[in-house]
Amino acid sequence: MPAVQETVDRVRQIDVDQYKYGFVTDIESEKAPKGLNEDTVRFISAKKNEPQWMLDWRLEAFRRWQTMKEPTWARVSYPKIDYQDAYYYAAPKAFKAPKSLADVDPELLRTYEKLGIPLKEQEILAGVRKQGEPSTLDGDMLEGMRSSGRVAVDAVFDSVSVATTFKEELKRAGVIFMPMSEAIQEHPDLIKKYLGSVVPTTDNFFATLNSAVFSDGSFVYVPKGVRCPMELSTYFRINEQNTGQFERTLIIADEGAYVSYLEGCTAPMRDENQLHAAVVELVTLDNAEIKYSTVQNWYPGDADGKGGIFNFVTKRGDCRGKNSKISWTQVETGSAITWKYPSCILRGDGSRGEFYSIAISNGHQQVDSGTKMIHLGKNTVSRIISKGISAGKSQNTYRGLVTAHRRATGARNFTNCDSLLIGDKCGAHTVPYMEAKNSSAVFEHEASTSKISEDMLFYCQSRGMSAEEATALVVNGFVKDVLQQLPMEFAVEAQKLISISLEGSVG
Amino acid sequence: MSLLEIKNLHVEIEDEGKKILNGLNLTIEKGQVAAIMGPNGSGKSTLAYVLAGRPGYAVTEGEILLNGESILEMEPNERAAKGVFLAFQYPVEVPGVATMTFLRTALNAQRKLRGENEVSTPEFIKMVRETSDNLGIGQDMLRRGVNVGFSGGEKKRAEILQMAILQPRLAVLDETDSGLDIDALRIVSEGVNRLRSPERSMIVITHYQRLLDYIVPDVVHVMAKGRVVRSGGKELALELEANGYAQYTDEAA
Ligand SMILES: Nc1ncnc2c1ncn2[C@@H]1O[C@H](COP(=O)(O)OP(=O)(O)OP(=O)(O)O)[C@@H](O)[C@H]1O
Ligand SMILES: [Mg+2]
């Protein structure tokens, strides 16, 4: 398996520089004044030239947020966050449509490069060239597009969505894929109809905060009967010191539509903690399907547990239509603290929700993640496969909720939660809640906890693998069922990340 | 120079301090097939593990030289890259990792340590297919997790497949014959015999003279109480079969 080989090379490389994505891009940015009050909200809204209704929506959320308390039920502990001691908006200043890559701020290009974005897509991202124009690089643009794996990319850099590639081709298919800030201007009807319809502004502390101060994010609308011709992808990156990142994503698959969406995240190394509180809303109408995949490797903090991202995210999908389907796949390797429960509301009869998760914790990381499957419609089906891997001194909790309401006759759920422990200073916890309000619901739950045994490692090592290679192989075997759910390129990337994040956990 | 030279080897269990090998001496020549026999608990598996570098054992005295070079400080994977292979008495299951993937990862890891190129995919697949056919290992078994759900006999065959792919210089077969039915014993022995070469030495640990009818050894060593107490030709195995180990266990005491 060449990916494992690559993994190993990668692990060697990062021997010196543990967190590969931990670089800081030095670009002068335009920040909102520090702190959070109504003026901050107005500042952000004004920066975006938002219509009055949007500002009102934000202000209502902000007023609500002021009455709310931070939740404490998750199995994570962290110093109190001072919400007044942070910046809520930062835009890279140097970003003004340059003529060629040579004119683009080299720091920004270096960032793209480190994120692994192909050069020709970097041109588009940096605004040098519009989709469909010839490249200044060698005129061999189409070739480059093909080899880039046909992924349309929207990069969110701190608070601002930098550019969206492949716009033209998507437009021909009728697919709308644009920064949220543009969608508010160009598609107010869709935004008014769907924004906050899955995660209401009153939902929870972090989601409400996000509603007040979200700065950008992605918007996707796939019209009736359209199968989106390519994977859509977003890179999130937190760069500015002391900024929170509050992106807002809304994806709508109209009747019979299909879209697969990939989200990747990185952040530079910082001594202090950075807050990330995103909201993702998915809506599927009759017979539609959304597949949402995340590979998250935010900075987890250093060896002593200092720094790292606090990741408090609300992700929810609403299978609003009959026989529609939403599937969440996530590979969580980063963040100091992860608080995240991608959920499905199975409203339409015959709808289906899936959750496939690999959550890895190492060092001092704390992960409290899982899913909720809310069965409202008849004959709704959900499936949960969760693989938790804990190493170092980390704590890894799976928290799941499966409910079937009275009307949800014939609801079925299958849950499988496996935990793998590496070493004896870490912990794995499983907290499944199940509640059926009608007798025809069938819930199945399987759980296991295992340790990587010395015998297994020695067996692999005696065949020529190093301790790291052996661990990577065993772990890859453990997470195989979930990796198979990821699109190909993502699976390879995820595999690399898994071994990077387990670096130093053996031997 | 001999391929393997073990001099006055003393080994104890790391945590307990329990002594298992007590001044063991053993020399294996290049291309030689040596059988090791001996009563239960005499330290045969321990010797095999110590050769392969399993953690948990402390070598308190003595030396192990492979091609004149000490391997005591080497990691198990470095030893593997130098050509040491152990066919386990109890092969370990690795769930979720297909045998095919496992073998390729292992082979390429070894080759990289030796500074060689990775094996190409078609070449590798061809190699595995031929060998597995010869050993009566089906393709579905190769796709399953390593040793997961394999019968006892299948596990032993899979070990020989691994040996054939990794092409070691020194193969240690720990009771590869136990748990095999008569047909499997013949198939596995033929597999082992195909790998006999002037460039490859083997240590065959067994309790049964029957295996040595198929894999005819150049020498037979008898181990008792953590030492080699007698060495001889293949006829020594017949003698043991007839008389048992009583005289050696008494002698070594
Ligand atoms: N990890 C261990 N802890 C304690 N004692 C051990 C350990 N490993 C081996 N021993 C002991 O060392 C002795 C030698 O064991 P070993 O497995 O090497 O014998 P063997 O010759 O291979 O026996 P058999 O023919 O039954 O396979 C036995 O008494 C065994 O109980
Ligand atoms: Mg034994």
Side-chain angles (χ1 to χ4, degrees), chain B residues 45 89 174-175:
Chain B
S45 292
Q89 183 171 2
D174 193 358
E175 296 198 23

Short mmCIF file of all heavy atoms in Angstrom, two decimals, chain B residues 45 89 174-175, ligand 2:
data_model
loop_
_atom_site.label_atom_id
_atom_site.label_comp_id
_atom_site.label_asym_id
_atom_site.label_seq_id
_atom_site.Cartn_x
_atom_site.Cartn_y
_atom_site.Cartn_z
N SER B 45 11.09 -21.76 21.68
CA SER B 45 10.40 -20.55 21.20
C SER B 45 11.09 -19.30 21.70
O SER B 45 11.20 -18.30 20.98
CB SER B 45 8.95 -20.54 21.66
OG SER B 45 8.23 -21.57 21.02
N GLN B 89 4.99 -19.71 16.08
CA GLN B 89 4.25 -20.88 16.56
C GLN B 89 2.77 -20.53 16.65
O GLN B 89 1.91 -21.32 16.30
CB GLN B 89 4.79 -21.30 17.94
CG GLN B 89 4.12 -22.55 18.48
CD GLN B 89 4.81 -23.09 19.75
OE1 GLN B 89 5.77 -22.53 20.26
NE2 GLN B 89 4.29 -24.19 20.27
N ASP B 174 8.96 -22.07 13.79
CA ASP B 174 8.63 -22.57 15.12
C ASP B 174 7.37 -23.43 15.05
O ASP B 174 6.26 -22.92 14.96
CB ASP B 174 8.44 -21.40 16.09
CG ASP B 174 8.41 -21.87 17.55
OD1 ASP B 174 8.49 -23.09 17.79
OD2 ASP B 174 8.32 -21.00 18.44
N GLU B 175 7.57 -24.74 15.13
CA GLU B 175 6.46 -25.71 15.10
C GLU B 175 5.48 -25.44 13.96
O GLU B 175 4.26 -25.42 14.17
CB GLU B 175 5.73 -25.73 16.44
CG GLU B 175 6.64 -26.22 17.55
CD GLU B 175 5.88 -26.69 18.79
OE1 GLU B 175 4.70 -27.05 18.65
OE2 GLU B 175 6.49 -26.69 19.87
MG MG C 2 7.52 -23.31 21.60
#
